[in-house]
Amino acid sequence: MAGGDSEDGMSADLAVVSRNIKEFSNNEVDEALETSAQAISKAVSKKLGIPTKLAEELNQLETDVAKLSDNITRKKAHLKQLKSWIREDKENEEPKSVSELHQAIQNHEDMILRMQKITGVCFTDFEEETLKEKEKITQKHFDIKGECNGLLFELEFDTEETVMEDERSEIEIKDFVANVPQDVCLELKNPLERVVNDQAVGGFFRLIMPYSVWEFHRQKLLDHFSKKYPEFVTIYTTETNRILMISHSKNKHSPTLMINWEFSTESLDIAVPRIRLGVEGTQQLVDLDKKKVLENAPENFQLLIEEYGIEHAVDMMVNLIKMQTT
């Protein structure tokens, strides 16, 4: 009797399935089929004696597994497409002939030359040595030689790269040594020591790049005026500075103007020029300077630099000495 009731129940549920399919169409067919599947599942569970709650949990589990499987299938298809695109890009990037290879080399050389022109940095030698490689830690030693706007340098340092659990890499710089010419080392002593103590390779270039540019212009300017005004200009060089002296060697009452071109460093160890004018003269000359031309010369010199630039300002100082000695 019980078996007959079960069969009648399944017949009724199948009738529901048939009716649902007929009543729904287009986008509603999926919903109808889902409803029908649930009806069949209920009938089968009832026939097998499976508790309703357990049957519902099994149905939900089957649904979740189906969605997960579909998601994995889509991700595999997407990954396959990405690999195909990467493969196509590599094929497109690889030179297909000798002429294309030469062109690719030329393009890279042009890019390097542009970077050298922008930064002034040119590497002449590069050595890399692996000191230790174990599991997720790699230690290396680097020796780099080059020049920055004509200023020679040599850097040595060790690195320790550690691969973290999330596959990120952390690199620590150790034993950093920066070698530069003796005069540069003396002039940039304090900021250079800070950069080395901080193990800041990038900080070295932030310091040396603007300094090398200004040093180049300083030397060029000193050479220019010593040749332009040999009777009035001499260059006095110290360990840490170069001073442009303006005076009239044939006149003992001539004042002496000293243009002192030094470098100061800001908090980020960036070298900036500091140009100052000093004046020396006899007491008799000071007494004769009623208009205080010599006394006000340092301040006026700074204003001239701001208004006309360094070269024009120095020209005016030389002319001032000429006026005082005629």
Side-chain angles (χ1 to χ4, degrees):
M1 193 70 162
D5 291 341
S6 297
E7 292 175 359
D8 292 341
M10 288 186 65
S11 298
D13 290 332
L14 290 172
V16 171
V17 172
S18 177
R19 187 168 60 255
N20 284 337
I21 291 174
K22 291 179 180 179
E23 290 179 355
F24 293 95
S25 61
N26 299 330
N27 294 336
E28 295 177 333
V29 169
D30 291 339
E31 185 179 349
L33 290 173
E34 183 178 354
T35 304
S36 302
Q38 291 174 357
I40 294 174
S41 178
K42 288 181 180 178
V44 172
S45 298
K46 184 177 180 182
K47 183 174 180 62
L48 296 176
I50 299 174
T52 303
K53 186 175 181 180
L54 178 58
E56 290 175 353
E57 291 177 354
L58 290 173
N59 288 336
Q60 183 61 44
L61 182 60
E62 289 175 356
T63 302
D64 293 340
V65 170
K67 288 181 180 180
L68 181 61
S69 177
D70 183 57
N71 190 26
I72 291 173
T73 301
R74 288 199 304 270
K75 287 185 179 296
K76 284 184 177 179
H78 181 61
L79 182 60
K80 184 178 180 180
Q81 183 64 49
L82 286 177
K83 288 181 178 179
S84 175
W85 289 340
I86 293 172
R87 193 181 303 111
E88 290 176 2
D89 288 343
K90 286 185 176 180
E91 290 174 356
N92 293 332
E93 289 177 0
E94 291 178 356
K96 298 179 181 179
S97 65
V98 175
S99 61
E100 288 185 3
L101 178 60
H102 284 308
Q103 185 60 49
I105 294 173
Q106 185 63 47
N107 291 340
H108 285 297
E109 289 179 346
D110 291 343
M111 182 178 67
I112 292 173
L113 289 175
R114 284 197 299 271
M115 291 303 297
Q116 290 180 0
K117 198 171 286 186
I118 293 171
T119 64
V121 177
C122 176
F123 297 108
T124 57
D125 191 24
F126 179 90
E127 294 182 9
E128 176 183 346
E129 179 186 359
T130 300
L131 304 176
K132 178 181 178 182
E133 192 168 9
K134 184 179 180 182
E135 296 180 353
K136 295 187 176 183
I137 298 178
T138 303
Q139 294 178 347
K140 293 184 178 182
H141 176 77
F142 293 89
D143 190 343
I144 303 173
K145 297 179 182 178
E147 62 176 85
C148 183
N149 297 304
L151 191 156
L152 300 177
F153 64 83
E154 181 178 358
L155 308 180
E156 292 185 52
F157 56 90
D158 294 339
T159 63
E160 182 173 287
E161 181 180 6
T162 304
V163 180
M164 312 302 288
E165 292 183 357
D166 56 1
E167 300 303 322
R168 289 185 302 106
S169 293
E170 290 189 357
I171 299 179
E172 181 182 2
I173 296 176
K174 301 178 178 179
D175 301 326
F176 179 37
V177 177
N179 295 313
V180 294
Q182 183 67 16
D183 58 337
V184 178
C185 188
L186 291 171
E187 191 164 26
L188 298 179
K189 184 176 184 296
N190 293 332
L192 199 56
E193 286 180 352
R194 286 197 297 269
V195 166
V196 171
N197 291 337
D198 292 342
Q199 308 291 307
V201 177
F204 171 81
F205 289 104
R206 285 195 301 272
L207 172 65
I208 213 72
M209 284 166 59
Y211 169 81
S212 63
V213 172
W214 282 110
E215 165 58 18
F216 172 80
H217 288 300
R218 175 173 67 174
Q219 191 58 51
K220 184 178 179 181
L221 192 70
L222 295 176
D223 293 341
H224 167 73
F225 283 111
S226 64
K227 293 177 182 178
K228 185 176 181 180
Y229 303 111
E231 294 182 3
F232 299 95
V233 173
T234 56
I235 307 301
Y236 179 68
T237 303
T238 68
E239 287 186 341
T240 60
N241 197 8
R242 297 171 184 84
I243 302 173
L244 191 150
M245 314 281 287
I246 306 173
S247 63
H248 200 308
S249 58
K250 296 180 181 180
N251 189 331
K252 63 179 182 179
H253 297 296
S254 169
T256 300
L257 304 183
M258 300 168 292
I259 297 178
N260 190 348
W261 188 328
E262 297 176 314
F263 292 92
S264 62
T265 55
E266 300 175 348
S267 58
L268 294 178
D269 288 332
I270 299 176
V272 293
R274 184 176 61 182
I275 306 172
R276 297 175 297 166
L277 175 70
V279 181
E280 285 185 356
T282 62
Q283 186 60 46
Q284 181 183 2
L285 184 61
V286 173
D287 294 339
L288 292 173
D289 186 19
K290 302 300 182 181
K291 295 183 179 180
K292 299 187 181 298
V293 175
L294 297 178
E295 182 181 339
N296 296 327
E299 182 179 350
N300 291 331
F301 181 68
Q302 295 297 325
L303 295 175
L304 289 173
I305 291 177
E306 295 175 6
E307 185 71 22
Y308 301 106
I310 298 172
E311 185 173 348
H312 198 177
V314 174
D315 276 325
M316 290 185 175
M317 292 300 102
V318 174
N319 290 330
L320 177 62
I321 292 299
K322 287 182 177 181
M323 290 172 58
Q324 294 290 324
T325 58
T326 54

